[in-house]
Amino acid sequence: MSLKKWIVAQADKEKASVISEKLNIDPFIAFLLVSRGVDNELSALNFLSSACEITSPFSLIDMDKAVDRINTALENDEKICIYGDYDCDGVTSTALLYSFFESIGADVIYYIPNRLSDGYGMNTSAIDYIKSQGTDLIITVDNGISAIEEADYIASLGMDLIVTDHHQIGDKLPKAVAVINPHRHENEMNFCDYAGVGVAFKLACAVYDGDAGDLLEQYADLVAIGTIGDVVPLKNENRCITKYGINLINQSSRLGIAALRQAAGNYDSELSAVDIAFQICPRINAAGRMDDANRAVELLLSDDYEEARFKAQQLNDENIHRHQVETNILDSIKEKINNDSNLSQDRVIVIDGEGYHHGVIGIVAAHLVTCYNKPAIVIGVDENGDCTGSARSIEGFNIYEAISNCGNLLTHFGGHPLAAGLGIKKEDIPKFRKQINLFARDNYPVMPVQTLKLDCKLSPFYINLDLVDSLVALEPYGAENPEAVFGLFNVNLISVTPVSDGKHVRFEVEKKGKVFKIIQFRTAVGDVAYKRGDKLDFAVKISKSLYKGKYYLSIKSVGVRKSGIDDDRYFKEKADYELFNLGNNSETEIYPDRKCFTEVYKFLRQNNGWKYTLEDLYFALDQVVSYGQLCYAVKAFEEAGLVSLSDSSITLNNYKGKADLENTNVIKTLKGRLNIE
């Protein structure tokens, strides 16, 4: 995992004290609330409240037009089709509106596009099929705002269209009876960050002639799952509905969700928003990623126990299959990078492969972003030579803008600053890789520094089950209200052991006589660059787990580094090195003198090479050389034949004699640039 800059949140202790006293809450929780911007009595009260007030759905422009058209359809027994999407948000939106319309006696069907054959959003062949079913009115959920041509086609066939969507709006609205989108500037509302399922729920509330609380009781579980799955901010109305929905889920109020919990192996314990994000949402998403999302809708609508169990197991199996396919692609990419380290050294990683499943390449790209802290694009090439790519980015790098700059090489593309999709011809992939990296070089000469935000530093003596219980007040966790992360600084490493057949590692550490264990997922023992006796800093999340009727403390690492490092210096030196390579002068020492060569090579000899990253080597050397000096020293060693390099290791060669490092091309070129005799 690539290094991030650690930032410990600051909070006004006086404000926290006032909130704690006025609301009679734990002072530590008040401190955490203030550090997250909940810094006055009213906002804290609203944040902690279990009450759920639903704002008027008619605050959304065109909602009245939508209700009028739907009522006409109900009165005339017209057929309504809910046009959904294959992800978790689209599936729950579809299930919600279909179930609601069926409950009020509508003649209703639904259509979910297939990711592989239909692609995202509306398409004419699907519209033709919907027309053939005798449909009079199409209502989109979680899509439709960009379906300009498709909307015209729907009108040409004599059908009406209502769009409900939450994605950003383009220059033109689709031709429709109503376009309901919280991002329309005409709306009379202060909050607009709903998921698609949140907008669908608003439509149901508007059509329903009764108390919105009745619909909360019926559908808040679906709204919660879709909202969590689409990673929209868990603030304001999203927060209160999600909190209400989680209670319904834990009461097993919907047969399909209860069956899915059982298939996931978590039926007995209560689920949190984090549990839903990692256990329920991926299984719903797996149906659309790997095969047919209709099965997920059918599960959520099921009222037969045996049918629900069968379909839930199908989704569970699909998720296992998805995970295996994802692992296979990651293994393939790892091999490609080991064979060609330039792939990972590019500013934007672009990797293609035969048979990479289009349903998981976005997840794989996200893994690469986490690993390398840079944008990544994974392109799958199918048996016909058609290429589909999925991109993920880092904060501060607009991947949509970068891809748009390469539009001349693409068959299609779309997305937003942090994620995008594209189509490309196989023969154009090398040109695309070069062009997007030139764009990155010219527009992002220094890549944005990624951060890891810590709520506060914490003594290990304060980590216990009581602290875990007090943190419940901050839930549900999600976008813009993440799980609390604490810093455990300057602890002594005792041991590192493999867990789950080597898939994860467990650190045993000690500070002032207190010994505790920290697990780090998706990390092998061989990837850990630390040894017994090292002093380390950990960024951790804490929770509790139930085992044989007893709760145990669980500490999970989300970041680890050597204690005492100067990360400001590291990022400054790395940026100077990158700018120097682009032709700028360096503000830090770049040239590796004899002392630098000696320090680095001596360390490599003592450690029989280095099987970790260059960053790890930089910090293992206690920053005695600059980042640029280290990079040029290692390049000189390689050119002289002293070492062999791969993406994540430095191997010592069996070199005889004395290497003339000063006469390597890399050092001579460097001397020329620096005017060194």
Side-chain angles (χ1 to χ4, degrees), residues 233-534:
L234 280 190
K235 297 168 60 177
N236 297 8
E237 202 166 314
N238 284 347
R239 178 175 171 81
C240 75
I241 296 179
T242 297
K243 192 181 281 192
Y244 197 101
I246 291 172
N247 287 333
L248 292 181
I249 291 168
N250 285 319
Q251 293 167 17
S252 300
S253 60
R254 189 176 301 274
L255 202 58
I257 296 174
L260 197 55
R261 288 183 62 186
Q262 191 169 31
N266 195 346
Y267 189 76
D268 296 329
S269 58
E270 287 201 347
L271 297 185
S272 66
V274 175
D275 296 326
I276 291 167
F278 284 96
Q279 296 176 29
I280 302 299
C281 297
R283 286 167 170 80
I284 292 174
N285 273 326
R289 288 187 183 281
M290 307 307 297
D291 188 22
D292 184 1
N294 283 286
R295 290 193 294 184
V297 179
E298 292 165 5
L299 171 66
L300 296 178
L301 296 174
S302 179
D303 57 7
D304 179 89
Y305 177 70
E306 289 302 324
E307 178 192 50
R309 283 189 61 189
F310 176 74
K311 292 188 179 300
Q313 190 57 51
Q314 282 186 314
L315 264 60
N316 191 64
D317 292 343
E318 286 287 14
N319 192 53
I320 293 171
H321 177 51
R322 185 271 307 169
H323 183 73
Q324 186 57 57
V325 170
E326 177 188 323
T327 300
N328 292 342
I329 295 175
L330 282 168
D331 288 344
S332 168
I333 288 174
K334 185 176 180 180
E335 184 177 351
K336 288 176 183 286
I337 290 175
N338 281 337
N339 292 331
D340 182 4
S341 60
N342 289 326
L343 291 172
S344 64
Q345 291 169 9
D346 283 343
R347 290 171 177 273
V348 179
I349 297 173
V350 179
I351 294 183
D352 62 284
E354 302 283 344
Y356 286 2
H357 196 292
H358 296 172
V360 302
I361 54 176
I363 302 176
V364 173
H367 281 309
L368 295 178
V369 171
T370 299
C371 183
Y372 293 101
N373 268 350
K374 57 178 65 176
I377 303 171
V378 179
I379 301 172
V381 184
D382 67 18
E383 63 275 8
N384 299 317
D386 295 327
C387 303
T388 299
S390 190
R392 296 293 185 271
S393 194
I394 56 174
E395 291 289 343
F397 186 102
N398 189 325
I399 193 67
Y400 177 74
E401 181 185 21
I403 287 174
S404 300
N405 185 259
C406 305
N408 59 304
L409 296 172
L410 305 175
T411 58
H412 64 273
F413 64 92
H416 55 78
L418 289 177
L422 59 90
I424 188 171
K425 294 179 180 178
K426 185 177 180 180
E427 60 268 24
D428 288 332
I429 293 175
K431 298 177 189 174
F432 172 73
R433 180 182 292 111
K434 181 178 180 180
Q435 189 166 319
I436 199 167
N437 273 285
L438 286 173
F439 173 88
R441 184 198 68 182
D442 294 341
N443 293 274
Y444 298 87
V446 175
M447 293 294 277
V449 173
Q450 300 305 290
T451 59
L452 176 60
K453 296 180 180 178
L454 281 63
D455 285 84
C456 67
K457 296 181 182 179
L458 201 61
S459 165
F461 292 93
Y462 288 101
I463 297 181
N464 52 44
L465 291 176
D466 289 339
L467 177 59
V468 174
D469 289 337
S470 69
L471 291 173
V472 171
L474 298 178
E475 295 187 17
Y477 294 124
E480 298 191 21
N481 183 44
E483 286 183 86
V485 176
F486 303 110
L488 300 179
F489 284 65
N490 206 34
V491 300
N492 301 307
L493 179 61
I494 298 173
S495 65
V496 183
T497 55
V499 179
S500 300
D501 297 325
K503 296 176 183 175
H504 320 301
V505 295
R506 180 181 289 117
F507 295 93
E508 186 175 14
V509 298
E510 174 273 335
K511 184 173 183 180
K512 295 182 179 178
K514 182 175 176 62
V515 176
F516 48 100
K517 296 177 180 179
I518 304 172
I519 191 165
Q520 183 160 304
F521 294 111
R522 289 181 175 267
T523 303
V525 169
D527 296 330
V528 177
Y530 310 114
K531 62 184 184 300
R532 180 182 177 88
D534 282 347

Side-chain angles (χ1 to χ4, degrees), residues 473-601:
L474 298 178
E475 295 187 17
Y477 294 124
E480 298 191 21
N481 183 44
E483 286 183 86
V485 176
F486 303 110
L488 300 179
F489 284 65
N490 206 34
V491 300
N492 301 307
L493 179 61
I494 298 173
S495 65
V496 183
T497 55
V499 179
S500 300
D501 297 325
K503 296 176 183 175
H504 320 301
V505 295
R506 180 181 289 117
F507 295 93
E508 186 175 14
V509 298
E510 174 273 335
K511 184 173 183 180
K512 295 182 179 178
K514 182 175 176 62
V515 176
F516 48 100
K517 296 177 180 179
I518 304 172
I519 191 165
Q520 183 160 304
F521 294 111
R522 289 181 175 267
T523 303
V525 169
D527 296 330
V528 177
Y530 310 114
K531 62 184 184 300
R532 180 182 177 88
D534 282 347
K535 288 192 175 296
L536 304 176
D537 299 337
F538 283 89
V540 302
K541 297 177 181 178
I542 61 173
S543 60
K544 61 183 181 181
S545 56
L546 182 65
Y547 181 69
K548 291 185 177 181
K550 184 178 179 181
Y551 282 105
Y552 293 87
L553 185 67
S554 176
I555 309 176
K556 181 178 74 172
S557 168
V558 294
V560 58
R561 66 183 190 180
K562 285 195 72 173
S563 294
I565 70 168
D566 185 344
D567 56 5
D568 284 328
R569 174 184 163 187
Y570 161 73
F571 286 112
K572 171 70 167 58
E573 290 178 356
K574 188 174 183 181
D576 283 347
Y577 172 73
E578 291 175 351
L579 289 170
F580 183 76
N581 286 337
L582 294 177
N584 297 42
N585 291 327
S586 173
E587 294 183 20
T588 59
E589 185 65 53
I590 289 286
Y591 181 73
D593 58 16
R594 183 180 296 275
K595 181 180 178 182
C596 173
F597 281 134
T598 302
E599 289 281 355
V600 176
Y601 194 67

Side-chain angles (χ1 to χ4, degrees), residues 82-87 89-90 93 111 113 119-123 127 138-154 161-182 184 196 199:
I82 311 301
Y83 194 109
D85 187 31
Y86 42 69
D87 70 358
D89 188 15
S93 302
Y111 183 89
Y120 171 76
M122 309 193 85
N123 65 84
I127 294 167
I138 297 175
I139 303 175
T140 72
V141 289
D142 192 31
N143 75 97
I145 196 66
S146 60
I148 308 301
E149 295 179 3
E150 292 81 2
D152 291 340
Y153 186 62
I154 288 169
L161 173 67
I162 293 173
V163 172
T164 78
D165 200 353
H166 72 118
H167 293 100
Q168 293 296 320
I169 299 170
D171 296 332
K172 183 179 179 183
L173 293 177
K175 181 179 181 180
V177 172
V179 178
I180 301 168
N181 188 307
R184 291 188 65 179
V199 183

